[in-house]
Amino acid sequence: MRIAAVRVTPIAFRDPPLLNVWGVHEPWALRSVIEVELDDGKVGLGESYGDLETLGNLDRIKGALVGLSPFDLNGLMKSVYAVVGGEPDTGSTFPPKGDKARATAVAAFEVAFLDLQGQILGLPLHELLGGAVRDRVPYSAYLFYKFEKHKEDPGYPADDWGEVLTHEQMVGEARRMVEEYGFGSIKLKGGVFEPDFEIETLRALRRAFPTAPLRIDPNGGWSVETTRRVMPQLAADGLLEYLEDPTGTLEEMGEVAKFATMPLATNMVTIAFGHIPRTVELNAVQVILSDHHYWGGLRATQHLAMIGRTFGIGISMHSNSHMGISLAAMTHVGATIPNLVYACDTHYPWQEDEVTAGGKLPIKGGCVELPQGPGLGVTLDRDALARLHRNYLDCGIRVRDDVKEMRKYDPSWNPKKPRF
Ligand code: GKR
Ligand code: MG
């Protein structure tokens, strides 16, 4: 059984005007859908970023995969390494460069290869990954401050979450998330307003959800000194389960760790295996939010979890705007990681479109059940793929740019970090 064809299709799907430290989400989020087709017609699926650099790399690699066995994951690595060269890791998450670009390309195709392996063997992907230690994977309510609608008419109706710029509006957003999806943990995307304002939002959330673990993620928007100043407020009454990326560098996180009274988490400063020695040396983070899309795939995610066990670092999962192929992959691997000790992030509730057959995967009781079909357990809705690809062609966005989008609202917007 050999690979006969590989297709990479860029897609764009509706995304609400969610605020973060860089600015605001554009009306269209980009992804790519990877199809690896066998000579008997079976199709393995993957999902990755939709920026030009990632698309360029995936396109340049795909020819080299034709003729490989879908079980030949080392052959896949070799093909990727031959094309995406040996630049040093720049430490940048997006768009991925150098090592990150390689890990991103391996991941995109590895998921599709594993999907095929599962289909051939008639086994769900989590069984191929060593078996599930849980039958459902918990996710958290991922709360964003947001504008009511996009600045320019994107040609589709505004989302029905409305404006969320006050504490009360955020509690309303959280209530809806919890009611609709049953989430037990809550994460607030911060770095948007002054830390004192965002902490007041956290207190309002605490009053509304007295027992839910809370987190805040300012995406490196705070200085070490600001984090020191607000630490007593964050620590009061055990407000936070963990504090995610208050500051922007590994060294700064190491400084914060000296006075933090709760675990620190990251998806920004420890983002490659090469960062782990220094992370451990500084005791800079106690939770790594893994992301198979840039750590190098599902098996790399398991390796990361094993390293986490070695050093007493907890594992959870990071998310960007994504479709059901990614959610299925995250859920399969999440089910196999014993030390997945925190509910994972997902942007999924913010997405209205879907590219998988049967529509969006359900999130119930805050969890996604393990897909039971062979491989990933999801298949493509080809009409949806064509529609979302048409969106990509029409929307004009080729690289995500939250800064540019924010300047449509505020021409003087300066995305400098730390902001506070
Ligand atoms: O989508 O606005 C966003 C997030 O801020 C995303 O870009 C981050 O990568 O969600 C991510 C995070 O946890 O840092
Ligand atoms: Mg984060």
Side-chain angles (χ1 to χ4, degrees):
M1 239 166 263
R2 297 280 148 183
I3 290 163
V6 179
R7 291 180 290 278
V8 177
T9 309
I11 60 171
F13 48 87
R14 290 170 281 178
D15 206 20
L18 306 178
L19 293 160
N20 61 28
V21 73
W22 296 279
V24 61
H25 284 211
E26 295 164 287
W28 299 99
L30 308 182
R31 297 290 272 185
S32 51
V33 172
I34 292 91
E35 295 175 74
V36 177
E37 185 168 340
L38 285 187
D39 44 16
D40 69 355
K42 287 189 185 66
V43 175
L45 297 179
E47 178 181 334
S48 187
Y49 307 109
D51 64 287
L52 286 176
E53 182 179 358
T54 300
L55 291 173
N57 287 337
L58 300 184
D59 263 347
R60 286 188 297 131
I61 293 159
K62 63 187 190 187
L65 305 182
V66 172
L68 286 184
S69 156
F71 289 90
D72 188 3
L73 296 173
N74 283 331
L76 162 62
M77 302 267 271
K78 203 171 151 198
S79 305
V80 171
Y81 276 49
V83 172
V84 187
E87 289 173 49
D89 181 358
T90 59
S92 155
T93 47
F94 199 90
K97 294 206 188 306
D99 283 1
K100 292 250 75 67
R102 268 199 308 275
T104 297
V106 170
F109 293 118
E110 186 227 41
V111 173
F113 275 48
L114 290 170
D115 185 17
L116 284 171
Q117 293 180 16
Q119 292 180 43
I120 291 165
L121 297 170
L123 293 174
L125 212 152
H126 55 268
E127 286 199 34
L128 287 181
L129 292 172
V133 296
R134 58 184 68 79
D135 57 9
R136 52 218 303 260
V137 172
Y139 290 87
S140 61
Y142 198 161
L143 308 183
F144 282 80
Y145 298 104
K146 68 181 286 294
F147 294 139
E148 183 186 3
K149 55 184 183 179
H150 288 291
K151 185 70 178 169
E152 292 163 354
D153 180 5
Y156 60 77
D159 67 80
D160 59 5
W161 292 86
E163 177 189 91
V164 181
L165 298 175
T166 67
H167 313 310
E168 296 70 29
Q169 288 170 332
M170 187 60 82
V171 169
E173 183 184 288
R175 282 197 198 289
R176 178 171 162 189
M177 280 269 181
V178 168
E179 274 163 25
E180 283 184 22
Y181 300 100
F183 293 119
S185 301
I186 295 177
K187 161 168 166 170
L188 175 64
K189 176 57 66 183
V192 175
F193 297 113
E194 289 284 345
D196 301 79
F197 181 90
E198 294 184 350
I199 292 168
E200 201 46 54
T201 299
L202 284 172
R203 291 197 191 109
L205 289 167
R206 167 55 69 237
R207 286 192 292 277
F209 303 93
T211 57
L214 298 180
R215 314 150 182 183
I216 185 169
D217 175 14
N219 278 122
W222 300 351
S223 68
V224 173
E225 282 321 305
T226 296
T227 310
R228 191 192 305 278
R229 180 180 68 74
V230 300
M231 186 55 67
Q233 300 178 58
L234 293 171
D237 305 321
L239 187 62
L240 287 187
E241 179 185 35
Y242 61 63
L243 172 60
E244 181 176 333
D245 287 315
T247 55
T249 69
L250 191 48
E251 302 297 315
E252 287 172 339
M253 288 289 277
E255 282 305 302
V256 172
K258 290 180 190 161
F259 58 81
T261 52
M262 74 288 292
L264 300 180
T266 189
N267 63 276
M268 295 180 76
V269 300
T270 309
I271 57 170
F273 288 100
H275 297 151
I276 289 174
R278 187 69 180 143
T279 301
V280 170
E281 204 178 343
L282 293 172
N283 186 29
V285 303
Q286 294 70 46
V287 184
I288 294 179
L289 305 179
S290 175
D291 185 326
H292 74 269
H293 303 90
Y294 63 72
W295 275 92
L298 304 184
R299 294 180 317 143
T301 302
Q302 292 182 307
H303 295 163
L304 173 64
M306 186 61 83
I307 293 174
R309 286 173 85 176
T310 308
F311 291 106
I313 296 174
I315 299 291
S316 184
M317 264 191 243
H318 163 258
S319 154
N320 285 121
S321 309
H322 65 89
M323 298 271 90
I325 299 170
S326 284
L327 187 63
M330 290 161 71
T331 301
H332 280 291
V333 73
T336 68
I337 294 176
N339 54 330
L340 188 86
V341 284
Y342 301 96
C344 303
D345 290 354
T346 180
H347 279 241
Y348 204 54
W350 293 109
Q351 261 60 80
E352 292 176 32
D353 294 311
E354 182 49 285
V355 76
T356 55
K360 291 187 72 176
L361 300 182
I363 300 177
K364 288 185 194 149
C367 295
V368 177
E369 304 268 344
L370 292 189
Q372 285 303 330
L376 271 179
V378 294
T379 55
L380 270 184
D381 174 338
R382 296 218 164 260
D383 291 338
L385 180 66
R387 182 168 47 79
L388 300 187
H389 179 57
R390 171 55 54 193
N391 289 344
Y392 175 81
L393 296 176
D394 293 344
C395 76
I397 298 170
R398 292 295 176 264
V399 175
R400 174 180 171 176
D401 193 343
D402 294 12
V403 175
K404 187 169 128 205
E405 189 65 16
M406 192 59 153
R407 288 194 176 133
K408 293 180 185 167
Y409 301 78
D410 174 6
S412 67
W413 173 251
N414 178 357
K416 80 174 164 67
K417 285 206 281 177
R419 281 189 73 199
F420 305 106

